[in-house]
Amino acid sequence: MIFIIELSGTIAFAISGILEARRQNMDLIGVFTLAFITALGGGTLRDILLNRHPLIWVADPSYALMIFGLSVIGAIIFRGNHFHPAERWIVIPDALGLGLFAATGTAYALNLDISVFVALLLGVITATFGGVLRDLFCAEIPSVFRRTQLYATCAFAASFAYWFIHASGGDHEISTFVSIFVGASLRLLALRFDWRLPI
Amino acid sequence: MIFIIELSGTIAFAISGILEARRQNMDLIGVFTLAFITALGGGTLRDILLNRHPLIWVADPSYALMIFGLSVIGAIIFRGNHFHPAERWIVIPDALGLGLFAATGTAYALNLDISVFVALLLGVITATFGGVLRDLFCAEIPSVFRRTQLYATCAFAASFAYWFIHASGGDHEISTFVSIFVGASLRLLALRFDWRLPI
Amino acid sequence: MIFIIELSGTIAFAISGILEARRQNMDLIGVFTLAFITALGGGTLRDILLNRHPLIWVADPSYALMIFGLSVIGAIIFRGNHFHPAERWIVIPDALGLGLFAATGTAYALNLDISVFVALLLGVITATFGGVLRDLFCAEIPSVFRRTQLYATCAFAASFAYWFIHASGGDHEISTFVSIFVGASLRLLALRFDWRLPI
């Protein structure tokens, strides 16, 4: 179950990179790079900050191969720079991935016995910096810093939920599910009702 | 004394990130991220380049908590995107921080027994790359690369002063004070008389 | 021979950074930073991703000193932001460097016993991310992601050639030469006949 969410979350993140690359009229190289960075950039940055090596995609080639396959298909399917229905299909897997990646990042950080606040930050970085790097590579101000519908806030809530359940005695699996539920439902509510931060 | 300069320098760097985030109309997430990156980005990059772990803000949560507190206050106080008097208040702590962070970076690098020129570069990176990353995250060409009033040059002078006094037999404390004095006074003179690099 | 190609490739990459900095009207600080990042950024990123320390330019100051010398000369010589004949002189050393750096990156990665596809990616990152970072620091979408004349594709071909010859029993030197030949000749052909990726 967690594996399916991780897979669909990674694919959703990669597709968001592919769509952005197409909007910028990039070729296959740009499509693949943006898909890779969006899907794996957050976890890679977390691992570099925490000095965890080898990086997951260095140790296991299936990530890079899957994203390359998706990029070839995406570069053929998605043409033009108009709004694409794929942007709607990926909303739910993207929200699930947001919660899961926040939980994963928080879990790794808590294992290192670092303080709770920093562990929550690393959860947020894991979930959101793929998208931040995607926007940077498009020479745009990262959308997560603008008044979006609570994207990073949902990652923080998911990280907090993971820590709270874990500290209350929940095991990794149950904490992860609560985290995904909190992050994804808050995100979908924020999108539905256009909630944004007041400050 | 050095602790007070470090604290006021870090706060000055964080405020410059907060003001920039507000000028770009970012919400609290963007304000916090930019404050964090501006205040801690230079030291973080230096530590990743030199493979020093754990990172200071991973090991000690007070940095992240202080910057989060500043960001909440800043997001409430600073509204609109006009010029703000805070830009004038931070000139002096910013100049002091510039000198101190250059000294700190140079000192770390010299401890590793690397060559002097590279150690000076790492001092400059420590002092200036927080601001460089802040500008990158705003999709702007880093202001330190334009014809500013000698910002990176002052960091280089401060790094050089640290090394020179240290190599002449001064201890860490006295070298740091000379470095702060050289960096800050050169910066304030450059701002006052609008000095810029000729090439 | 490989040493001469490495030297001329590094210089060509540095000059491309200097020219871009001048086009953006940067001062000596910007010129040096862009030259440094363009020449050494790809290898530095590869080493951080693979956790190889110390970084080459930290261990050996001659890289930083050479690039600093080039930057001072370049900041004096190259003025204005028009097209400059140096852009034509560097085409051939740039193409040779492209092939060599792809080979070097692939070789390092293969030594670590990681999978072939990831090793090829690291070869491409080594050869191309200096230019990607250069463009990012100019707040531009990296040119290698647009429909350029196969830049990253040539790096991939060079990396593939290195692996293929190496896996077929060729030693490091012969594999490197084939890699340079494949990368550089494909790049020069692509420039001559304006080949671009179809998707």
Side-chain angles (χ1 to χ4, degrees):
Chain A
M1 179 76 178
I2 284 181
F3 172 75
I4 291 172
I5 292 176
E6 196 202 337
L7 189 67
S8 62
T10 304
I11 292 174
F13 278 39
I15 290 177
S16 110
I18 293 170
L19 289 171
E20 186 63 30
R22 276 321 207 178
R23 218 173 284 129
Q24 305 287 348
N25 204 23
M26 295 181 183
D27 66 7
L28 179 62
I29 302 296
V31 165
F32 175 51
T33 310
L34 246 65
F36 194 94
I37 284 171
T38 311
L40 301 174
T44 298
L45 179 59
R46 175 201 62 215
D47 289 348
I48 288 172
L49 293 174
L50 292 178
N51 201 25
R52 293 175 78 241
H53 288 278
L55 300 174
I56 190 166
W57 55 270
V58 170
D60 179 353
S62 57
Y63 289 90
L65 284 165
M66 183 184 77
I67 291 171
F68 186 70
L70 280 172
S71 300
V72 172
I73 297 169
I76 293 169
I77 294 180
F78 305 136
R79 299 209 171 256
N81 52 7
H82 303 297
F83 173 84
H84 196 278
E87 292 194 0
R88 296 187 43 155
W89 309 335
I90 63 175
V91 163
I92 288 174
D94 183 86
L96 294 170
L98 176 68
L100 173 60
F101 298 143
T104 316
T106 307
Y108 284 146
L110 289 172
N111 275 345
L112 293 178
D113 200 32
I114 64 181
S115 79
V116 174
F117 186 66
V118 174
L120 300 182
L121 283 189
L122 286 158
V124 176
I125 288 172
T126 308
T128 63
F129 261 70
V132 168
L133 292 171
R134 175 200 62 210
D135 295 343
L136 278 189
F137 276 65
C138 294
E140 288 175 354
I141 295 181
S143 63
V144 75
F145 299 163
R146 318 306 287 258
R147 305 201 175 280
T148 49
Q149 290 89 348
L150 302 185
Y151 202 83
T153 310
C154 298
F156 189 85
S159 300
F160 186 85
Y162 182 92
W163 167 74
F164 186 76
I165 302 299
H166 194 69
S168 310
D171 65 5
H172 176 64
E173 202 149 273
I174 196 81
S175 307
T176 300
F177 274 114
V178 173
S179 177
I180 294 170
F181 177 75
V182 168
S185 53
L186 184 58
R187 171 67 175 160
L188 294 174
L189 285 169
L191 280 172
R192 175 71 187 77
F193 297 108
D194 201 34
W195 289 342
R196 291 158 199 266
L197 283 183
I199 55 171
Chain B
M1 179 78 177
I2 284 180
F3 172 75
I4 290 172
I5 293 176
E6 197 202 335
L7 190 67
S8 62
T10 305
I11 293 175
F13 278 39
I15 290 177
S16 111
I18 293 171
L19 290 171
E20 186 63 30
R22 276 322 206 179
R23 217 174 284 129
Q24 305 287 348
N25 203 22
M26 295 180 181
D27 66 8
L28 180 61
I29 302 296
V31 166
F32 175 51
T33 310
L34 247 65
F36 194 95
I37 284 170
T38 312
L40 300 174
T44 298
L45 179 59
R46 175 201 62 214
D47 289 348
I48 288 172
L49 294 173
L50 292 178
N51 200 26
R52 293 175 79 240
H53 288 279
L55 300 174
I56 190 167
W57 56 268
V58 170
D60 179 352
S62 57
Y63 289 89
L65 285 165
M66 183 185 77
I67 291 170
F68 186 70
L70 279 172
S71 300
V72 172
I73 297 168
I76 293 171
I77 294 180
F78 305 136
R79 298 210 171 256
N81 53 5
H82 302 297
F83 173 83
H84 196 278
E87 292 195 0
R88 297 189 42 156
W89 310 334
I90 63 175
V91 164
I92 288 175
D94 184 86
L96 293 169
L98 175 67
L100 173 61
F101 297 143
T104 316
T106 307
Y108 283 145
L110 288 173
N111 276 346
L112 292 178
D113 200 32
I114 63 180
S115 78
V116 174
F117 186 66
V118 174
L120 299 182
L121 283 188
L122 286 159
V124 177
I125 288 173
T126 308
T128 62
F129 260 70
V132 168
L133 292 172
R134 175 199 62 208
D135 295 344
L136 278 188
F137 277 64
C138 294
E140 288 174 356
I141 295 181
S143 62
V144 75
F145 300 164
R146 319 306 287 258
R147 305 202 175 278
T148 49
Q149 290 89 349
L150 302 186
Y151 202 83
T153 310
C154 298
F156 190 84
S159 300
F160 186 84
Y162 182 92
W163 166 74
F164 186 77
I165 302 298
H166 195 69
S168 310
D171 64 6
H172 175 63
E173 203 150 272
I174 196 80
S175 307
T176 301
F177 274 114
V178 173
S179 176
I180 294 170
F181 177 77
V182 168
S185 52
L186 184 58
R187 171 66 176 160
L188 294 174
L189 285 169
L191 279 171
R192 175 71 187 77
F193 296 107
D194 200 35
W195 289 342
R196 291 158 199 267
L197 283 183
I199 55 170
Chain C
M1 179 77 178
I2 283 182
F3 173 75
I4 290 172
I5 292 177
E6 197 201 337
L7 189 68
S8 61
T10 304
I11 292 174
F13 278 39
I15 290 176
S16 110
I18 293 171
L19 290 171
E20 186 62 30
R22 276 320 206 181
R23 217 174 285 129
Q24 305 287 348
N25 202 23
M26 295 182 182
D27 66 7
L28 180 61
I29 303 296
V31 166
F32 175 50
T33 310
L34 246 64
F36 194 95
I37 284 170
T38 312
L40 301 174
T44 298
L45 179 59
R46 174 203 61 214
D47 289 349
I48 288 172
L49 293 172
L50 291 179
N51 200 28
R52 293 176 78 241
H53 289 279
L55 301 174
I56 189 167
W57 55 270
V58 170
D60 179 353
S62 56
Y63 289 89
L65 285 165
M66 184 184 78
I67 291 170
F68 186 70
L70 279 173
S71 300
V72 172
I73 297 168
I76 293 170
I77 294 179
F78 303 137
R79 298 209 171 256
N81 52 7
H82 302 298
F83 173 83
H84 196 278
E87 292 194 1
R88 296 188 43 157
W89 308 334
I90 63 175
V91 163
I92 289 175
D94 184 85
L96 293 170
L98 176 67
L100 173 61
F101 298 143
T104 316
T106 307
Y108 284 146
L110 288 173
N111 275 345
L112 292 178
D113 199 33
I114 64 181
S115 79
V116 174
F117 186 66
V118 174
L120 300 182
L121 283 189
L122 286 158
V124 176
I125 287 173
T126 308
T128 62
F129 261 70
V132 168
L133 293 172
R134 176 199 62 210
D135 295 345
L136 278 189
F137 276 64
C138 295
E140 287 174 355
I141 296 180
S143 62
V144 74
F145 299 164
R146 318 306 287 258
R147 304 200 176 280
T148 50
Q149 290 89 349
L150 302 186
Y151 202 83
T153 311
C154 298
F156 189 85
S159 300
F160 186 85
Y162 182 92
W163 166 75
F164 185 76
I165 301 299
H166 193 69
S168 310
D171 64 6
H172 176 63
E173 203 150 273
I174 196 80
S175 308
T176 301
F177 274 113
V178 174
S179 176
I180 293 170
F181 177 77
V182 168
S185 52
L186 184 58
R187 170 67 176 160
L188 295 174
L189 284 169
L191 280 171
R192 174 72 187 77
F193 297 108
D194 201 35
W195 289 341
R196 293 159 198 266
L197 284 183
I199 56 170

mmCIF file of all heavy atoms in Angstrom, chain A residues 124-156:
data_model
loop_
_atom_site.group_PDB
_atom_site.id
_atom_site.type_symbol
_atom_site.label_atom_id
_atom_site.label_comp_id
_atom_site.label_asym_id
_atom_site.label_seq_id
_atom_site.Cartn_x
_atom_site.Cartn_y
_atom_site.Cartn_z
ATOM 1 N N VAL A 124 9.372 18.796 5.444
ATOM 2 C CA VAL A 124 8.839 19.775 4.484
ATOM 3 C C VAL A 124 9.768 19.909 3.281
ATOM 4 O O VAL A 124 9.308 19.950 2.125
ATOM 5 C CB VAL A 124 8.624 21.140 5.176
ATOM 6 C CG1 VAL A 124 8.156 22.182 4.168
ATOM 7 C CG2 VAL A 124 7.611 21.014 6.310
ATOM 8 N N ILE A 125 11.089 19.953 3.539
ATOM 9 C CA ILE A 125 12.051 20.051 2.430
ATOM 10 C C ILE A 125 11.908 18.848 1.500
ATOM 11 O O ILE A 125 11.882 18.996 0.272
ATOM 12 C CB ILE A 125 13.494 20.147 2.984
ATOM 13 C CG1 ILE A 125 13.728 21.527 3.608
ATOM 14 C CG2 ILE A 125 14.524 19.873 1.902
ATOM 15 C CD1 ILE A 125 15.052 21.664 4.356
ATOM 16 N N THR A 126 11.791 17.645 2.059
ATOM 17 C CA THR A 126 11.644 16.439 1.240
ATOM 18 C C THR A 126 10.426 16.538 0.330
ATOM 19 O O THR A 126 10.486 16.181 -0.851
ATOM 20 C CB THR A 126 11.492 15.193 2.133
ATOM 21 O OG1 THR A 126 12.554 15.171 3.088
ATOM 22 C CG2 THR A 126 11.506 13.920 1.321
ATOM 23 N N ALA A 127 9.316 17.035 0.889
ATOM 24 C CA ALA A 127 8.064 17.044 0.121
ATOM 25 C C ALA A 127 7.999 18.190 -0.873
ATOM 26 O O ALA A 127 7.348 18.076 -1.910
ATOM 27 C CB ALA A 127 6.878 17.106 1.081
ATOM 28 N N THR A 128 8.659 19.311 -0.592
ATOM 29 C CA THR A 128 8.413 20.507 -1.415
ATOM 30 C C THR A 128 9.584 20.934 -2.289
ATOM 31 O O THR A 128 9.366 21.633 -3.282
ATOM 32 C CB THR A 128 8.060 21.710 -0.517
ATOM 33 O OG1 THR A 128 9.166 22.018 0.338
ATOM 34 C CG2 THR A 128 6.839 21.428 0.330
ATOM 35 N N PHE A 129 10.844 20.569 -1.951
ATOM 36 C CA PHE A 129 11.958 21.159 -2.698
ATOM 37 C C PHE A 129 12.141 20.583 -4.094
ATOM 38 O O PHE A 129 12.841 21.203 -4.915
ATOM 39 C CB PHE A 129 13.255 21.138 -1.882
ATOM 40 C CG PHE A 129 13.508 22.473 -1.254
ATOM 41 C CD1 PHE A 129 12.704 22.915 -0.213
ATOM 42 C CD2 PHE A 129 14.488 23.329 -1.730
ATOM 43 C CE1 PHE A 129 12.883 24.171 0.359
ATOM 44 C CE2 PHE A 129 14.684 24.582 -1.166
ATOM 45 C CZ PHE A 129 13.885 25.005 -0.124
ATOM 46 N N GLY A 130 11.546 19.423 -4.389
ATOM 47 C CA GLY A 130 11.522 18.987 -5.783
ATOM 48 C C GLY A 130 10.839 20.036 -6.648
ATOM 49 O O GLY A 130 11.366 20.451 -7.682
ATOM 50 N N GLY A 131 9.674 20.490 -6.190
ATOM 51 C CA GLY A 131 8.945 21.529 -6.918
ATOM 52 C C GLY A 131 9.671 22.864 -6.909
ATOM 53 O O GLY A 131 9.653 23.597 -7.908
ATOM 54 N N VAL A 132 10.339 23.182 -5.791
ATOM 55 C CA VAL A 132 11.101 24.438 -5.726
ATOM 56 C C VAL A 132 12.224 24.429 -6.764
ATOM 57 O O VAL A 132 12.397 25.393 -7.521
ATOM 58 C CB VAL A 132 11.679 24.649 -4.305
ATOM 59 C CG1 VAL A 132 12.692 25.768 -4.285
ATOM 60 C CG2 VAL A 132 10.559 24.921 -3.309
ATOM 61 N N LEU A 133 12.971 23.319 -6.834
ATOM 62 C CA LEU A 133 14.073 23.218 -7.793
ATOM 63 C C LEU A 133 13.539 23.232 -9.227
ATOM 64 O O LEU A 133 14.132 23.852 -10.109
ATOM 65 C CB LEU A 133 14.894 21.955 -7.529
ATOM 66 C CG LEU A 133 15.676 21.969 -6.209
ATOM 67 C CD1 LEU A 133 16.288 20.604 -5.921
ATOM 68 C CD2 LEU A 133 16.771 23.023 -6.238
ATOM 69 N N ARG A 134 12.403 22.544 -9.464
ATOM 70 C CA ARG A 134 11.774 22.582 -10.794
ATOM 71 C C ARG A 134 11.535 24.027 -11.229
ATOM 72 O O ARG A 134 11.882 24.424 -12.349
ATOM 73 C CB ARG A 134 10.437 21.830 -10.741
ATOM 74 C CG ARG A 134 9.621 21.888 -12.034
ATOM 75 C CD ARG A 134 8.148 21.561 -11.753
ATOM 76 N NE ARG A 134 7.581 22.543 -10.838
ATOM 77 C CZ ARG A 134 6.602 22.315 -9.970
ATOM 78 N NH1 ARG A 134 6.049 21.139 -9.907
ATOM 79 N NH2 ARG A 134 6.166 23.273 -9.167
ATOM 80 N N ASP A 135 10.971 24.848 -10.327
ATOM 81 C CA ASP A 135 10.675 26.230 -10.689
ATOM 82 C C ASP A 135 11.949 27.040 -10.887
ATOM 83 O O ASP A 135 12.022 27.872 -11.797
ATOM 84 C CB ASP A 135 9.795 26.882 -9.611
ATOM 85 C CG ASP A 135 8.427 26.228 -9.521
ATOM 86 O OD1 ASP A 135 8.051 25.509 -10.475
ATOM 87 O OD2 ASP A 135 7.727 26.425 -8.522
ATOM 88 N N LEU A 136 12.973 26.780 -10.044
ATOM 89 C CA LEU A 136 14.257 27.486 -10.203
ATOM 90 C C LEU A 136 14.857 27.209 -11.571
ATOM 91 O O LEU A 136 15.369 28.107 -12.225
ATOM 92 C CB LEU A 136 15.256 27.024 -9.147
ATOM 93 C CG LEU A 136 15.158 27.654 -7.777
ATOM 94 C CD1 LEU A 136 16.353 27.230 -6.947
ATOM 95 C CD2 LEU A 136 15.113 29.175 -7.878
ATOM 96 N N PHE A 137 14.803 25.942 -12.015
ATOM 97 C CA PHE A 137 15.373 25.572 -13.306
ATOM 98 C C PHE A 137 14.568 26.149 -14.466
ATOM 99 O O PHE A 137 15.019 26.129 -15.598
ATOM 100 C CB PHE A 137 15.489 24.048 -13.431
ATOM 101 C CG PHE A 137 16.738 23.494 -12.807
ATOM 102 C CD1 PHE A 137 16.947 23.584 -11.439
ATOM 103 C CD2 PHE A 137 17.725 22.916 -13.580
ATOM 104 C CE1 PHE A 137 18.108 23.096 -10.859
ATOM 105 C CE2 PHE A 137 18.886 22.422 -13.007
ATOM 106 C CZ PHE A 137 19.085 22.519 -11.647
ATOM 107 N N CYS A 138 13.373 26.649 -14.166
ATOM 108 C CA CYS A 138 12.590 27.356 -15.185
ATOM 109 C C CYS A 138 12.732 28.868 -15.018
ATOM 110 O O CYS A 138 11.978 29.626 -15.630
ATOM 111 C CB CYS A 138 11.125 26.966 -15.101
ATOM 112 S SG CYS A 138 10.857 25.256 -15.510
ATOM 113 N N ALA A 139 13.692 29.309 -14.147
ATOM 114 C CA ALA A 139 13.919 30.742 -13.914
ATOM 115 C C ALA A 139 12.645 31.431 -13.451
ATOM 116 O O ALA A 139 12.353 32.561 -13.839
ATOM 117 C CB ALA A 139 14.490 31.413 -15.171
ATOM 118 N N GLU A 140 11.897 30.736 -12.593
ATOM 119 C CA GLU A 140 10.685 31.325 -12.025
ATOM 120 C C GLU A 140 10.779 31.317 -10.498
ATOM 121 O O GLU A 140 11.396 30.432 -9.913
ATOM 122 C CB GLU A 140 9.455 30.506 -12.430
ATOM 123 C CG GLU A 140 9.096 30.680 -13.887
ATOM 124 C CD GLU A 140 7.955 29.766 -14.295
ATOM 125 O OE1 GLU A 140 7.521 28.925 -13.469
ATOM 126 O OE2 GLU A 140 7.520 29.868 -15.448
ATOM 127 N N ILE A 141 10.120 32.263 -9.855
ATOM 128 C CA ILE A 141 10.045 32.246 -8.400
ATOM 129 C C ILE A 141 9.224 31.026 -7.998
ATOM 130 O O ILE A 141 8.133 30.809 -8.529
ATOM 131 C CB ILE A 141 9.393 33.538 -7.873
ATOM 132 C CG1 ILE A 141 10.300 34.726 -8.211
ATOM 133 C CG2 ILE A 141 9.148 33.446 -6.382
ATOM 134 C CD1 ILE A 141 9.770 36.045 -7.721
ATOM 135 N N PRO A 142 9.755 30.166 -7.090
ATOM 136 C CA PRO A 142 9.045 28.935 -6.734
ATOM 137 C C PRO A 142 7.605 29.209 -6.315
ATOM 138 O O PRO A 142 7.341 30.064 -5.472
ATOM 139 C CB PRO A 142 9.877 28.393 -5.568
ATOM 140 C CG PRO A 142 11.258 28.894 -5.836
ATOM 141 C CD PRO A 142 11.056 30.270 -6.412
ATOM 142 N N SER A 143 6.676 28.478 -6.933
ATOM 143 C CA SER A 143 5.253 28.741 -6.695
ATOM 144 C C SER A 143 4.894 28.488 -5.232
ATOM 145 O O SER A 143 3.967 29.095 -4.710
ATOM 146 C CB SER A 143 4.392 27.873 -7.615
ATOM 147 O OG SER A 143 4.606 26.513 -7.325
ATOM 148 N N VAL A 144 5.651 27.617 -4.554
ATOM 149 C CA VAL A 144 5.322 27.283 -3.170
ATOM 150 C C VAL A 144 5.555 28.472 -2.231
ATOM 151 O O VAL A 144 5.040 28.498 -1.120
ATOM 152 C CB VAL A 144 6.117 26.036 -2.734
ATOM 153 C CG1 VAL A 144 7.568 26.361 -2.472
ATOM 154 C CG2 VAL A 144 5.504 25.399 -1.510
ATOM 155 N N PHE A 145 6.321 29.481 -2.694
ATOM 156 C CA PHE A 145 6.567 30.667 -1.863
ATOM 157 C C PHE A 145 5.488 31.733 -2.073
ATOM 158 O O PHE A 145 5.422 32.701 -1.323
ATOM 159 C CB PHE A 145 7.924 31.315 -2.191
ATOM 160 C CG PHE A 145 9.110 30.447 -1.967
ATOM 161 C CD1 PHE A 145 10.336 30.765 -2.532
ATOM 162 C CD2 PHE A 145 9.040 29.316 -1.170
ATOM 163 C CE1 PHE A 145 11.447 29.972 -2.327
ATOM 164 C CE2 PHE A 145 10.154 28.517 -0.959
ATOM 165 C CZ PHE A 145 11.352 28.853 -1.553
ATOM 166 N N ARG A 146 4.718 31.618 -3.140
ATOM 167 C CA ARG A 146 3.633 32.568 -3.391
ATOM 168 C C ARG A 146 2.416 32.128 -2.590
ATOM 169 O O ARG A 146 2.432 31.104 -1.919
ATOM 170 C CB ARG A 146 3.261 32.598 -4.890
ATOM 171 C CG ARG A 146 4.418 32.576 -5.846
ATOM 172 C CD ARG A 146 5.436 33.656 -5.601
ATOM 173 N NE ARG A 146 4.982 34.971 -5.981
ATOM 174 C CZ ARG A 146 5.352 35.586 -7.102
ATOM 175 N NH1 ARG A 146 6.146 34.984 -7.955
ATOM 176 N NH2 ARG A 146 4.929 36.805 -7.359
ATOM 177 N N ARG A 147 1.350 32.843 -2.713
ATOM 178 C CA ARG A 147 0.154 32.500 -1.947
ATOM 179 C C ARG A 147 -0.581 31.331 -2.596
ATOM 180 O O ARG A 147 -1.702 31.471 -3.072
ATOM 181 C CB ARG A 147 -0.775 33.713 -1.832
ATOM 182 C CG ARG A 147 -0.079 34.899 -1.261
ATOM 183 C CD ARG A 147 -0.968 35.941 -0.660
ATOM 184 N NE ARG A 147 -0.109 36.952 -0.053
ATOM 185 C CZ ARG A 147 0.461 36.817 1.139
ATOM 186 N NH1 ARG A 147 0.212 35.754 1.862
ATOM 187 N NH2 ARG A 147 1.283 37.737 1.606
ATOM 188 N N THR A 148 0.095 30.149 -2.619
ATOM 189 C CA THR A 148 -0.580 28.969 -3.155
ATOM 190 C C THR A 148 -1.510 28.391 -2.102
ATOM 191 O O THR A 148 -1.528 28.821 -0.962
ATOM 192 C CB THR A 148 0.437 27.856 -3.497
ATOM 193 O OG1 THR A 148 1.290 27.697 -2.378
ATOM 194 C CG2 THR A 148 1.204 28.195 -4.741
ATOM 195 N N GLN A 149 -2.214 27.347 -2.511
ATOM 196 C CA GLN A 149 -3.173 26.730 -1.607
ATOM 197 C C GLN A 149 -2.454 25.832 -0.607
ATOM 198 O O GLN A 149 -2.565 24.609 -0.643
ATOM 199 C CB GLN A 149 -4.234 25.956 -2.393
ATOM 200 C CG GLN A 149 -5.178 26.847 -3.162
ATOM 201 C CD GLN A 149 -4.670 27.166 -4.557
ATOM 202 O OE1 GLN A 149 -3.521 26.903 -4.889
ATOM 203 N NE2 GLN A 149 -5.507 27.728 -5.397
ATOM 204 N N LEU A 150 -1.696 26.451 0.283
ATOM 205 C CA LEU A 150 -1.134 25.791 1.470
ATOM 206 C C LEU A 150 -0.192 24.630 1.184
ATOM 207 O O LEU A 150 -0.023 23.766 2.027
ATOM 208 C CB LEU A 150 -2.265 25.260 2.368
ATOM 209 C CG LEU A 150 -3.273 26.265 2.875
ATOM 210 C CD1 LEU A 150 -4.221 25.577 3.841
ATOM 211 C CD2 LEU A 150 -2.606 27.442 3.547
ATOM 212 N N TYR A 151 0.499 24.592 0.049
ATOM 213 C CA TYR A 151 1.286 23.415 -0.288
ATOM 214 C C TYR A 151 2.292 23.051 0.814
ATOM 215 O O TYR A 151 2.256 21.944 1.369
ATOM 216 C CB TYR A 151 2.018 23.629 -1.609
ATOM 217 C CG TYR A 151 2.415 22.350 -2.280
ATOM 218 C CD1 TYR A 151 1.515 21.651 -3.062
ATOM 219 C CD2 TYR A 151 3.678 21.824 -2.118
ATOM 220 C CE1 TYR A 151 1.877 20.469 -3.663
ATOM 221 C CE2 TYR A 151 4.050 20.644 -2.713
ATOM 222 C CZ TYR A 151 3.146 19.963 -3.484
ATOM 223 O OH TYR A 151 3.513 18.782 -4.077
ATOM 224 N N ALA A 152 3.178 24.007 1.161
ATOM 225 C CA ALA A 152 4.192 23.705 2.179
ATOM 226 C C ALA A 152 3.551 23.551 3.553
ATOM 227 O O ALA A 152 4.032 22.768 4.386
ATOM 228 C CB ALA A 152 5.260 24.802 2.199
ATOM 229 N N THR A 153 2.472 24.271 3.789
ATOM 230 C CA THR A 153 1.777 24.152 5.071
ATOM 231 C C THR A 153 1.224 22.732 5.258
ATOM 232 O O THR A 153 1.262 22.177 6.365
ATOM 233 C CB THR A 153 0.633 25.185 5.146
ATOM 234 O OG1 THR A 153 1.162 26.465 4.781
ATOM 235 C CG2 THR A 153 0.051 25.254 6.537
ATOM 236 N N CYS A 154 0.707 22.149 4.173
ATOM 237 C CA CYS A 154 0.219 20.767 4.240
ATOM 238 C C CYS A 154 1.371 19.809 4.523
ATOM 239 O O CYS A 154 1.209 18.831 5.274
ATOM 240 C CB CYS A 154 -0.443 20.373 2.922
ATOM 241 S SG CYS A 154 -1.878 21.368 2.525
ATOM 242 N N ALA A 155 2.538 20.078 3.918
ATOM 243 C CA ALA A 155 3.706 19.235 4.185
ATOM 244 C C ALA A 155 4.100 19.351 5.654
ATOM 245 O O ALA A 155 4.467 18.350 6.292
ATOM 246 C CB ALA A 155 4.874 19.651 3.280
ATOM 247 N N PHE A 156 3.998 20.562 6.206
ATOM 248 C CA PHE A 156 4.325 20.748 7.624
ATOM 249 C C PHE A 156 3.327 19.992 8.494
ATOM 250 O O PHE A 156 3.704 19.316 9.456
ATOM 251 C CB PHE A 156 4.334 22.238 7.980
ATOM 252 C CG PHE A 156 4.874 22.500 9.354
ATOM 253 C CD1 PHE A 156 6.238 22.614 9.552
ATOM 254 C CD2 PHE A 156 4.030 22.622 10.444
ATOM 255 C CE1 PHE A 156 6.763 22.838 10.817
ATOM 256 C CE2 PHE A 156 4.535 22.844 11.725
ATOM 257 C CZ PHE A 156 5.907 22.950 11.906
#
